[in-house]
Structure formats: C-alpha cells, structure tokens
C-alpha cells in the first residue's frame, strides 16, 4: 500500500505598487532604485543648489513652473500686467528739472562714452545748432548738463555712431538747411575724462566724408566697421547702404556701397543690429510716414573651404548682403517717422513719432527670433508717453532708456523721460507643478559667501540623513528595537 504525500501550502507571492509588480522581482527593484536615485539627486544636488540661490536671488523657483495661475508682482512694476510680457518696459517717468538741457533742442543725438553723456547738435526750432551739452552718468541716470566741446559747424538731422571710444557725426543739414557730406570726429580720453575737441574727418586723417550730402540716414556700428543706411540726398531718398571697414590699424576706412538695396528707400528711420541682422523700420518715403519693416542680412562674403572655413587670403569682412521685407516679418502697427527707436535685450522698440497727421505717443516693441522672424508688434497703454513726441534723442544705458529733448504739439523740450527696460519677475507664483517664493537676496561678496555656506550646510545635513537611513535599512531588526523602545518610553510617561 502506497501512502501519498500531503499537498503543500501554495506560495503566495507578495505584490507591490498597487499589485502591479512582484515585490521580489526585478521590476519593483528597478522602481525602487530609480526612486532612490531621485532622492539622492534632490538631497545632494537640488536642495543645496536651492539653498545657495535662496541667499543671493530675489526669488527662488521650486519645482517646474510651466504655467502659473497665481502671480504676485512687486510694486516697482506699477500698472504692468503680472507677469510682464517679454520685452515690456516700465511706464515712462519724467526726469527732475535739475537734469534738463541748458536749452530746448530737437532732432539732435545723445551718446555715451564711458561715464560721459553728450547731447549733440540739433535745432531750437529756428536754426541748426553747433552746441554740445555734456553730463556725467552714474547711479542709473545722468547729472546736470554743462557746455561741452562745440561742433565745428551747426548740424541737425545727422547720423551718429560710437565706434570704440570715438563719436562720429555723419552728414546732416547745416544752419541754412543745406545737405552736408562732412564727418566730425570726437575721441574722448576715458582715463582722464578729457573730452578733447571735434575734428573734421580731413583733420583726423580719416577718409570718412560721405560720397554726397546726406541727411536723415541711420548709422549702425557693426563688428568690423560702420554701416550707413538710407537717408535723403539732393536727388531724393536713397536705398543705398554704405560701409566703412576697419583697416589693419583699427581705423575706419573709406565708404564702400553694399550690394543690398532697400526695398523702400526711406529717411528718418530707425536702424539697429540684433545678431546677424540689421533692422530698418519706420521713417518716411516720398509720400510721407511709412510702417515698413526691412531686414538686412549681415555676413562675411568670403568663400568657404571643405571644412566650412573662409578660404585663406579671401575678404572676411562683414557685408550687407541683401534686404528683405518678407519671410514672416510684420510691419509696424502704424506709420511712423521721426520716432525714438532703439534695440535692447534682443528686442526692437519704437516710441512716439509722427503719423503724418499729428504726433503720437505710443510705444511698440517686438522680439525677433534668432532666425530673424517677427510674429507681432506689441503695445501696452501703460507704456505710452504722456503726450505725442517727435525727434527725441534716445540714450540706452544699462537697464534704462532715456528720451532727451524732442518736439511736442506745443513746444520744443529741454526735459527728458526715463523708462526701465527690465520689469521685475513675480516674487510669488503658484503653478500646477511648482512655485516661486521670495528669497533673501543678499548682494555682493557677503551674499556669495553666505550662499556657499548655506549650500554646504544643506548638503552636509542631507548626507548625514542619508547615512542614517542607509544604516537603518541595513539593520532592520535593530532599527525596529529602537523604535519599539521609543514607543514604550512614550507610553511610560
């Protein structure tokens, strides 16, 4: 007689993660390993990093803040939306009377070299002026104006550029309104602060007099020289672009006409460089103010070898290859001439000007893509000027833009206005997967050192915590005894 064995108990395998994984299998082990990697990164990298920036930044981002329905901005942003749109500026503020020009001026130019700010030429409404006013820049604004070195002759409606430490006044109109081809040069001494005296291009031994009398042109300093775009000659508006290139001694050479011709010849427009592109927008054509935006492509015309490098001995200077008016760019929302135009932080700006029927106060801005495309021009009522303004001198210094002088419907101004180009980000944001909270923002060397100490302290504490956790997992029975003893002591109390 054969006796059968009793059936054994069925082995029940433990399940983890809501029963989805075998608790003793590789799947659950992999999930736990990944979780511990995240814990290690958070405790030894992310938290110390956040501890540092909590000390030195104004705000601190926690987690991923893709979109935030809750935003609180600092009062410095005034009436701007929160968060402020990219490229927006703070509302314009009038400068105090102490920094007004010594005399009312319009259609002049303002430049900064080192800590010196100069307002050059222009007109008082009756005749062109040779006056140059000088001020010192500091603390985010300029101080009281004083008389500076006068131009060799009166000029208005000229182009101006700063190349290196020299200031160039190109063409314009004289006191009789006649077109001029002369270039004036001023080279201040930055070490001593001495402004020196203006020279004609001939006196400075520079071949920079223009090919013909020209007014209303726009000058743009580029990496290897100076561009002069558009303007008005005795024959009418011109679509030409001229370039003066540095020679081997670093001096500007004679003018060479570029192959690129403006699609719409214009004067009194704005020309600025962003990346590899020259933007030329607004101004006036033969029929009056225009809203056209034109984009010039700036590149080396040198042929490339098989390795993508310029062929040895070829001309590697930058050239204005062509002008475009298509390819995604959009024109200004309205026609403008004699406006204040400038570029800052990768954005294009245009404020004030005339539409042909009156002076305007609107500020428009756009942020071109790296490939030179414009989606739209933006506008906020809060950033408009208090009144229409034409022919102001524009000065951009650090985070501020200044409009100096200019013409309103009733008078020519000696005053100025300032707008901050860097609205503050929200100091508190609450999103779906993150938040922004206020931080300490301790400036200077002290803040840096305290930030390093905070990061080192947080990293050390977290490392000790991880060591304790590792010991507890390696000695589970001993850990249970410790917790049981603690529980008994609490009950004994």
């Amino acid at each position: 007689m054969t006796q059968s064995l009793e059936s054994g108990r069925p082995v029940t395998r433990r399940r983890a993660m809501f029963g989805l994984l075998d608790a003793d299998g590789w799947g659950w082990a992999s999930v736990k390993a990944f979780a511990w990697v995240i814990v290690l990164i958070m405790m030894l990298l992310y938290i110390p990093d956040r501890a540092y920036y909590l000390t030195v930044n104004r705000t601190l981002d926690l987690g991923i803040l893709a979109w935030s329905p809750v935003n609180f901005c600092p009062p410095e942003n005034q009436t701007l939306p929160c968060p402020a749109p990219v490229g927006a500026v703070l509302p314009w503020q009038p400068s105090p009377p102490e920094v007004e020009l010594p005399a009312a001026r319009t259609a002049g130019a303002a430049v900064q070299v080192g800590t010196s700010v100069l307002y050059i030429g222009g007109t008082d409404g009756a005749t062109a002026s040779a006056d140059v006013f000088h001020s010192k820049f500091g603390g985010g604004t300029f101080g009281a104006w004083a008389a500076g070195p006068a131009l060799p002759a009166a000029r208005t409606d000229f182009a101006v550029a700063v190349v290196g430490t020299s200031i160039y006044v190109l063409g314009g109109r004289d006191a009789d309104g006649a077109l001029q081809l002369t270039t004036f040069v001023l080279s201040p001494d930055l070490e001593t602060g001495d402004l020196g005296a203006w020279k004609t291009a001939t006196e400075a031994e520079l071949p920079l007099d223009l090919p013909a009398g020209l007014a209303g042109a726009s000058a743009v300093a580029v990496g290897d020289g100076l561009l002069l775009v558009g303007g008005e000659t005795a024959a009418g508006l011109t679509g030409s672009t001229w370039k003066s290139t540095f020679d081997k001694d670093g001096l500007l050479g004679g003018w060479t006409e570029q192959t690129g011709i403006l699609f719409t010849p214009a004067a009194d427009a704005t020309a600025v460089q962003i990346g590899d592109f020259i933007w030329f927008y607004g101004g006036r054509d033969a029929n009056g103010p225009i809203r056209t935006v034109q984009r010039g492509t700036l590149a080396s015309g040198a042929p490339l070898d098989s390795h993508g490098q310029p062929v040895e001995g070829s001309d590697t200077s930058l050239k204005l290859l062509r002008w475009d008016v298509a390819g995604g760019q959009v024109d200004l929302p309205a026609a403008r001439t004699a406006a204040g135009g400038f570029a800052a932080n990768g954005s294009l700006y245009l404020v004030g000007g005339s539409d042909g029927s009156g002076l305007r106060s609107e500020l428009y801005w756009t942020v071109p893509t790296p490939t030179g495309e414009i989606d739209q021009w933006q506008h906020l009522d809060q950033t408009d000027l208090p009144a229409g303004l034409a022919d102001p001198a524009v000065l951009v210094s650090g985070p501020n833009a200044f409009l100096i002088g200019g013409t309103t419907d009733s008078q020519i101004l000696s005053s100025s206005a300032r707008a901050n180009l860097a609205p503050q980000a929200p100091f508190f944001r609450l999103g779906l997967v993150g938040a922004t909270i206020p931080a300490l923002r301790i400036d200077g060397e002290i803040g840096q050192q305290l930030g390093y100490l905070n990061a080192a302290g947080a990293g050390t504490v977290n490392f000790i915590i991880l060591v304790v956790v590792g010991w507890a997992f390696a000695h589970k029975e001993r850990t249970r005894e410790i917790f049981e003893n603690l529980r008994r002591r609490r009950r004994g109390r």
Side-chain angles (χ1 to χ4, degrees):
M1 181 177 177
T2 302
Q3 187 176 2
S4 62
L5 296 175
E6 295 181 359
S7 60
R9 292 182 179 181
V11 177
T12 302
R13 301 187 69 84
R14 294 184 302 114
R15 307 296 294 180
M17 203 172 181
F18 308 103
L20 297 177
L21 299 174
D22 183 351
D24 298 317
W26 283 105
W28 179 235
S30 299
V31 170
K32 290 191 291 183
F34 178 77
W36 275 109
V37 169
I38 298 300
V39 169
L40 289 171
I41 292 174
M42 292 291 292
M43 297 190 71
L44 297 182
L45 295 177
Y46 183 77
I47 292 178
D49 175 81
R50 296 296 87 185
Y52 171 80
Y53 286 109
L54 176 68
T55 306
V56 300
N57 276 8
R58 191 182 65 86
T59 59
L60 182 68
D61 292 332
L62 302 175
I64 302 172
L65 196 67
W67 176 74
S68 173
V70 180
N71 299 279
F72 295 100
C73 286
E76 291 84 354
N77 283 11
Q78 301 178 46
T79 57
L80 289 184
C82 183
V86 176
V89 306
L90 292 179
W92 294 92
Q93 301 293 329
S95 296
E98 292 79 8
V99 296
E100 289 189 0
L101 294 172
R105 288 289 185 270
T106 187
V111 297
Q112 180 179 359
V113 178
T115 59
S116 295
V117 177
L118 284 76
Y119 183 94
I120 304 168
T123 174
D124 59 4
T127 183
S129 173
D131 293 336
V132 173
F133 304 127
H134 168 245
S135 178
K136 285 292 185 179
F137 196 90
T141 188
F142 43 80
W145 296 91
L151 295 171
R155 289 290 185 272
T156 187
D157 204 18
F158 52 84
V160 66
V162 177
V163 180
T165 59
S166 295
I167 306 166
Y168 298 87
V169 169
L170 310 158
R173 297 182 185 273
D174 64 11
D176 297 322
L179 294 170
Q180 299 296 309
L181 54 76
T182 308
T183 294
F184 300 144
V185 185
L186 181 70
S187 300
D189 187 327
L190 298 186
E191 293 185 2
T192 64
D194 180 31
L195 297 177
W198 291 91
K199 297 180 180 180
T200 65
T202 302
E203 293 170 337
E205 299 182 351
L206 296 173
L208 287 178
D209 282 345
L210 307 181
L214 185 68
S218 302
V220 184
V222 294
D224 65 348
L226 181 63
L227 289 176
L228 191 63
V229 187
E232 183 176 12
T233 68
L237 298 173
T238 177
S240 296
T241 301
W242 296 82
K243 182 165 186 279
S244 172
T245 303
F246 292 128
D247 61 19
K248 58 183 179 60
D249 297 320
L251 300 176
L252 288 173
W255 296 99
T256 302
E257 189 171 10
Q258 303 295 284
T259 57
I261 301 295
L262 291 171
F263 276 79
T264 303
D268 299 330
T270 295
V272 295
Q273 180 185 13
I274 295 182
D276 295 329
F277 301 103
I278 304 296
W279 296 94
F280 187 79
Y281 51 101
R284 58 181 174 87
D285 65 9
N287 299 315
I290 58 175
R291 54 193 296 263
T292 308
V293 176
Q294 304 183 63
R295 181 191 66 185
T297 300
L298 191 67
S300 170
L304 303 180
D305 60 21
S306 59
H307 301 288
Q309 299 298 318
V311 174
E312 186 176 355
S314 60
D315 181 9
T316 59
S317 63
L318 295 174
K319 293 179 175 58
L320 199 291
L321 302 182
R322 65 182 182 275
W323 288 99
D324 301 308
V325 292
Q329 300 93 279
V330 295
D331 288 340
L332 293 168
R336 291 290 187 271
T337 187
F342 58 95
N345 305 320
S347 300
L348 303 175
Y349 296 88
L350 185 129
V351 58
S354 170
D355 63 1
S357 61
L359 303 185
R360 308 300 304 181
S361 62
E362 293 87 357
L363 179 140
Y364 300 115
W365 84 91
T366 187
V367 185
T369 67
T371 57
E373 306 296 330
I374 291 178
D375 292 330
Q376 64 176 343
W377 287 84
Q378 300 188 67
H379 169 255
L380 289 173
D381 291 339
Q382 298 94 315
T383 59
D384 289 345
L385 296 169
L389 180 68
D391 284 320
V394 178
L395 176 69
V396 177
S397 183
N400 296 304
F402 299 86
L403 301 178
I404 306 172
T407 303
T408 68
D409 287 322
S410 60
Q411 61 179 330
I412 294 175
L413 302 178
S414 60
S415 57
S416 59
R418 177 178 64 175
N420 189 288
L421 302 172
Q424 297 294 321
F427 62 83
F428 177 80
R429 307 181 72 185
L430 182 60
L432 300 180
V433 287
T436 297
I437 62 173
L440 300 178
R441 192 178 183 178
I442 302 175
D443 295 325
E445 185 72 20
I446 294 178
Q448 294 281 341
Q449 296 302 322
L450 290 177
Y452 294 140
L453 289 175
N454 279 352
T460 301
V461 170
N462 288 344
F463 179 77
I464 293 172
I465 292 174
L466 289 172
V467 170
V468 171
V469 171
W471 183 91
F473 271 90
H475 303 82
K476 294 182 179 180
E477 294 298 328
R478 179 57 180 158
T479 302
R480 292 192 186 98
E481 290 178 6
I482 292 174
F483 278 103
E484 186 62 30
N485 290 335
L486 292 175
R487 188 179 298 110
R488 289 172 181 172
R489 289 179 182 177
R490 289 176 182 172
R491 289 177 180 176
R493 292 179 182 176

